[in-house]
């Protein structure tokens, strides 16, 4: 964080009050104007956003909301340490966030709360005229997906799904390759969320990622709410880390769209085995029946003829991977193994190490601001996604990842649940753009601003 503060200090333009880094150029704002941001949810993820906001000179954090008084105190200390003005505080009950949304000195909000609150809070924010940024996934049901789209269209207020993996360095480099037609016409993609989350879904009720097998009321942090989804839903409940980047490569909602999806789930043994291993068969949670299959596989067909395979694998021991693969008529990239093959440029039938290709096609954003961004969280991705949100909100324009994207990507959860419950029966994707996907132009991803 210290290196980031020095970067800001050293890049200020004397006498102008402006900054030469992305997100610090004030655009239509005068030097005296700043974007007033409120945070709804200041747990671990919300606090990460707060810390990055406090490093910006074009943002005021004017209000915070959380029902956990301890998290409020932590957030207030971060603001005080950054010499920020004391924020208005909300959180006396679960609906106190609505009082935050009524504040005239809040222009935009960042929502980092448990999943079941994402849509209702985002809808309320748009209804209140606040530019909304919501953590992933944005919605849990098809009705909620439509709520996001309908509210955006009715109010004219924008929202952005804060999918940070869209800004991962290798992902943006491969997006550059796709846009420059290195792989030829695209045919097939793979992605997913393959991440051993047993230590996240369970803990000892004292430390967020500690040992233990408690969840729900006896858990802390994500185990307090996230694990219930594994108890009650047999679905891919967390699709956007993998699908978001692939959807952008495939121009979904902007010249292409998801058409249909089939899903299948394996047996469910991983979470039960973890409880027994850690605390024995007599522990009360060893009797819990987890509905979610340990490995869930979905296949999407697109209007332009590509297929996309999504894998959700979070309940078994495994190293982390989002399982990316982007394959076209002339070659492909696979993240596992860090390898690329391009016909006519690679040795026939031999993989190339991906890094030289990634370096060659490094995205303009990362070339210009990569060193600065690295300390922002998640290897730098958090700087870029937050910067895109702030810059879009300052100009009150559509963000790179909009309400239609939030709806389409999040729809994987309820559609996978329906398909699994019906023995893999294909499920039609709603067209959340109501046909406008055929006319909407892709976002200009290869620029170096945001």
């Amino acid at each position: 964080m210290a290196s980031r503060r020095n970067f800001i200090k050293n890049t200020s333009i004397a006498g102008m009050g402006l900054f030469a880094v992305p997100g610090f150029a004030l655009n239509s704002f005068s030097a005296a104007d700043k974007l007033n941001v409120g945070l709804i949810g200041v747990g671990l993820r919300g606090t990460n956003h707060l810390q990055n906001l406090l490093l910006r000179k074009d943002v005021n954090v004017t209000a915070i909301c959380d029902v956990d008084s301890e998290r409020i105190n932590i957030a207030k200390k971060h603001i005080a340490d950054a010499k920020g003005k004391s924020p208005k505080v909300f959180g006396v009950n679960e609906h106190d966030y609505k009082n935050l949304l009524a504040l005239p000195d809040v222009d935009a909000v960042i929502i980092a709360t448990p999943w079941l609150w994402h849509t209702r809070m985002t809808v309320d924010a748009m209804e209140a005229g606040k530019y909304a940024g919501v953590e992933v996934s944005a919605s849990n049901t098809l009705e909620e997906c439509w709520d996001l789209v309908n509210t955006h269209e009715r109010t004219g207020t924008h929202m952005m799904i804060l999918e940070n993996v869209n800004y991962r360095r290798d992902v943006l480099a491969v997006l550059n390759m796709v846009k420059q037609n290195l792989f030829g016409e695209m045919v097939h993609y793979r992605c997913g969320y393959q991440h051993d989350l047993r230590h996240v879904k369970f803990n000892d009720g004292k430390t967020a990622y500690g040992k233990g097998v408690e969840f729900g009321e006896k858990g802390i942090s994500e185990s307090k709410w996230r694990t219930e989804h594994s108890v009650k839903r047999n679905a891919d409940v967390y699709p956007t880390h993998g699908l978001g980047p692939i959807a952008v490569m495939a121009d979904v909602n902007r010249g292409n769209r998801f058409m249909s999806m089939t899903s299948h789930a394996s047996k469910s043994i991983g979470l039960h085995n973890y409880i027994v291993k850690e605390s024995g068969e007599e522990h009360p949670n060893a009797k819990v029946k987890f509905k979610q299959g340990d490995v869930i596989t979905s296949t999407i067909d697109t209007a332009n003829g590509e297929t996309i395979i999504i894998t959700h694998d979070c309940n078994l021991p495994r190293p982390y991977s989002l399982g990316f693969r982007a394959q076209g008529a002339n070659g492909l990239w696979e993240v596992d193994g860090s390898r690329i093959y391009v016909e006519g440029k690679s040795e026939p039938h031999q993989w190339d190490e991906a890094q030289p290709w990634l370096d060659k096609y490094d995205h303009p954003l990362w070339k210009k601001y990569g060193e600065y961004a690295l300390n922002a969280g998640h290897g730098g991705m958090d700087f870029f996604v937050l910067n895109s949100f702030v810059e879009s909100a300052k100009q009150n324009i559509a963000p790179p990842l909009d309400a239609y994207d939030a709806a389409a990507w999040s729809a994987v959860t309820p559609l996978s649940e329906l398909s699994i419950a019906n023995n893999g029966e294909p499920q039609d994707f709603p067209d959340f753009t109501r046909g406008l996907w055929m006319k909407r132009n892709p976002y200009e991803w290869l620029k170096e601003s945001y």
Side-chain angles (χ1 to χ4, degrees):
M1 289 300 182
S3 65
R4 301 186 72 212
R5 292 191 182 94
N6 290 336
F7 185 97
I8 295 170
K9 178 179 178 181
N10 293 335
T11 55
S12 62
I13 303 176
M16 295 181 63
L18 304 180
F19 289 80
V21 297
F24 299 92
L26 297 182
N27 297 325
S28 60
F29 279 44
S30 73
D33 289 331
K34 296 183 178 183
L35 184 73
N36 294 323
V37 178
L39 287 102
I40 303 176
V42 286
L44 296 180
R45 186 62 180 143
T47 298
N48 178 250
H49 286 310
L50 172 63
Q51 290 173 307
N52 284 319
L53 287 170
L54 291 172
L55 293 172
R56 302 181 66 102
K57 301 304 181 184
D58 57 352
V59 167
N60 286 323
V61 177
T62 55
I64 56 175
C65 178
D66 203 294
V67 293
D68 186 336
S69 60
E70 182 179 349
R71 297 307 308 180
I72 288 288
N73 290 334
I74 291 171
K76 289 172 65 177
K77 184 177 187 306
H78 281 300
I79 295 170
D81 290 346
K83 310 301 181 185
K85 183 180 178 181
S86 182
K88 296 181 177 68
V89 174
F90 300 86
V92 295
N93 58 51
E94 290 182 329
H95 296 280
D96 203 17
Y97 73 91
K98 295 181 181 180
N99 293 315
L100 181 152
L101 294 175
L103 294 176
D105 61 347
V106 170
D107 306 313
V109 293
I110 290 178
I111 297 162
T113 54
W115 297 337
L116 293 181
W117 287 94
H118 282 185
T119 296
R120 68 189 72 185
M121 288 176 168
T122 304
V123 165
D124 287 342
M126 288 190 283
E127 295 278 11
K130 312 301 185 184
Y131 203 112
V134 62
E135 269 298 337
V136 300
S137 290
S139 300
N140 297 278
T141 67
L142 289 178
E143 180 183 13
E144 285 187 338
C145 292
W146 278 113
D147 285 345
L148 292 177
V149 170
N150 291 336
T151 305
H152 160 64
E153 293 182 345
R154 184 178 69 254
T155 65
T157 308
H158 295 290
M159 61 83 59
M160 177 175 174
I161 182 170
L162 300 175
E163 183 43 76
N164 60 352
V165 180
N166 277 77
Y167 296 87
R168 207 170 87 173
R169 191 164 201 161
D170 59 344
V171 165
L172 282 178
V174 173
L175 176 62
N176 193 8
M177 297 176 198
V178 170
K179 296 301 182 184
Q180 294 196 38
N181 206 36
L182 178 69
F183 302 130
E185 183 177 354
M186 299 306 294
V187 175
H188 177 70
Y189 299 94
R190 294 187 184 183
C191 60
Y193 192 60
Q194 301 174 125
H195 189 185
D196 183 354
L197 292 183
R198 295 172 300 168
H199 66 293
V200 174
K201 294 184 178 184
F202 302 109
N203 55 44
D204 58 6
K206 301 176 182 178
T207 52
Y209 304 124
K211 291 184 177 181
V213 297
E214 301 297 346
F215 70 95
E217 289 302 315
K218 293 184 178 181
I220 192 174
S221 190
E222 290 182 66
S223 75
K224 201 171 189 67
W225 56 268
R226 184 170 187 157
T227 316
E228 284 293 336
H229 291 264
S230 299
V231 176
K232 296 177 179 177
R233 303 194 76 175
N234 195 6
D236 183 337
V237 297
Y238 203 61
T240 71
H241 280 337
L243 187 58
I246 294 304
V248 168
M249 292 180 194
D251 291 330
V252 170
N253 293 329
R254 297 165 178 85
N256 195 9
R257 81 173 185 95
F258 301 143
M259 295 296 291
S260 67
M261 186 178 77
T262 62
S263 299
H264 295 84
S266 74
K267 67 179 75 174
S268 176
I269 61 172
L271 298 182
H272 171 78
N273 288 350
Y274 182 80
I275 293 169
V276 172
K277 178 181 176 182
E278 293 294 321
S279 296
E281 294 183 357
E282 300 305 313
H283 192 281
N285 287 342
K287 299 178 176 60
V288 174
K289 302 295 185 182
F290 293 96
K291 192 171 184 179
Q292 185 182 55
D294 291 336
V295 179
I296 293 172
T297 307
S298 303
T299 302
I300 295 176
D301 296 314
T302 72
N304 289 349
E306 303 97 343
T307 52
I308 304 169
I309 295 176
I310 315 168
T311 303
H312 182 277
D313 178 359
C314 298
N315 299 339
L316 297 169
R318 61 156 298 128
Y320 174 88
S321 173
L322 298 186
F324 287 120
R325 173 172 164 183
Q327 186 167 11
N330 299 334
L332 71 161
W333 165 65
E334 290 189 349
V335 69
D336 293 332
S338 184
R339 55 195 190 178
I340 284 177
Y341 180 81
V342 180
E343 189 173 51
K345 297 184 179 181
S346 305
E347 289 294 325
H349 306 289
Q350 294 185 29
W351 290 102
D352 292 339
E353 165 56 42
Q355 195 58 52
W357 287 100
L358 297 174
D359 293 341
K360 180 178 179 180
Y361 287 89
D362 198 16
H363 193 277
L365 280 172
W366 276 95
K367 283 183 179 180
K368 195 166 187 179
Y369 306 111
E371 183 178 354
Y372 168 80
L374 283 177
N375 293 327
H378 289 95
M381 298 185 292
D382 288 348
F383 163 75
F384 291 110
V385 70
L386 187 66
N387 185 62
S388 291
F389 171 75
V390 171
E391 288 299 326
S392 300
K394 281 162 49 177
Q395 300 172 74
N396 194 27
I397 59 175
L401 313 175
D402 61 16
Y404 304 103
D405 299 317
W409 306 351
S410 300
V412 167
T413 295
L415 292 176
S416 66
E417 189 171 36
L418 284 169
S419 183
I420 291 167
N422 289 279
N423 298 315
E425 181 179 78
Q427 303 296 313
D428 291 334
F429 260 90
D431 176 9
F432 295 105
T433 73
R434 298 179 174 92
L436 292 181
W437 63 272
M438 291 181 281
K439 296 182 178 180
R440 299 179 80 215
N441 293 323
Y443 178 76
E444 187 184 348
W445 275 100
L446 298 185
K447 61 185 181 180
E448 63 177 21
S449 53
Y450 65 94

